[in-house]
Amino acid sequence: MKHLLTSAAIAITLVAGAPAVYAQSQTQEPTQTDQGSYSNPSAAGEAKTDYNDEELRKFVQAQDGINDIRDEYMAKIEEAGSQDEARELQMEANDKMVTVIEDAGLDIPTYNAIATAYNSEPSVRNRVDALM
């Protein structure tokens, strides 16, 4: 479960095009500032929570692929010899994540909105967890 939250936060940050380089250990827990780098529609009272099962299944499918990419690239990024190399690896991972999301049948804004709702709305979280 915590793996999905971390993965979703990382994926949102990467997909949103954040220039941060992940120099932290994969075992380190994300901090509030790590997840606060993207817009949170639920904080503004705008979060959609009435996703249908098909949308949530697509999210779970995309999340599986993103987990694989994250696992592959986090180690590479941490071992990068320079910030430029780490940034290049991050952009490569970002491109692969976008492809995985689109191949699952979602667009990036919808994926990000579901991930945000997953992190902030227990009803969405429970439905996604039931589909895993």
Side-chain angles (χ1 to χ4, degrees):
M1 184 55 46
K2 190 169 284 247
H3 189 67
L4 177 62
L5 290 172
T6 302
S7 179
I10 290 170
I12 290 170
T13 301
L14 288 173
V15 172
V21 176
Y22 294 100
Q24 68 190 39
S25 167
Q26 184 175 356
T27 59
Q28 182 179 354
E29 294 296 320
T31 63
Q32 193 68 359
T33 56
D34 289 335
Q35 294 179 356
S37 63
Y38 63 92
S39 177
N40 183 350
S42 65
E46 303 169 8
K48 175 183 172 184
T49 60
D50 61 341
Y51 297 102
N52 63 45
D53 285 348
E54 182 181 349
E55 290 171 309
L56 296 180
R57 278 189 203 96
K58 290 176 181 180
F59 174 79
V60 170
Q61 178 186 350
Q63 195 59 45
D64 287 342
I66 285 173
N67 285 339
D68 294 342
I69 294 166
R70 189 210 60 232
D71 291 345
E72 176 186 351
Y73 278 86
M74 286 302 291
K76 289 180 181 181
I77 290 169
E78 289 174 1
E79 295 172 2
S82 69
Q83 284 198 348
D84 286 340
E85 182 183 352
R87 231 180 330 261
E88 186 175 313
L89 287 166
Q90 182 181 359
M91 289 174 17
E92 188 176 312
N94 182 50
D95 290 345
K96 287 185 176 188
M97 287 181 186
V98 168
T99 299
V100 164
I101 291 167
E102 291 173 345
D103 286 351
L106 292 174
D107 58 31
I108 302 308
T110 301
Y111 172 86
N112 286 343
I114 294 172
T116 298
Y118 179 90
N119 287 321
S120 62
E121 299 292 333
S123 62
V124 174
R125 182 178 312 114
N126 291 338
R127 290 180 60 213
V128 169
D129 291 348
L131 294 171
M132 288 204 248

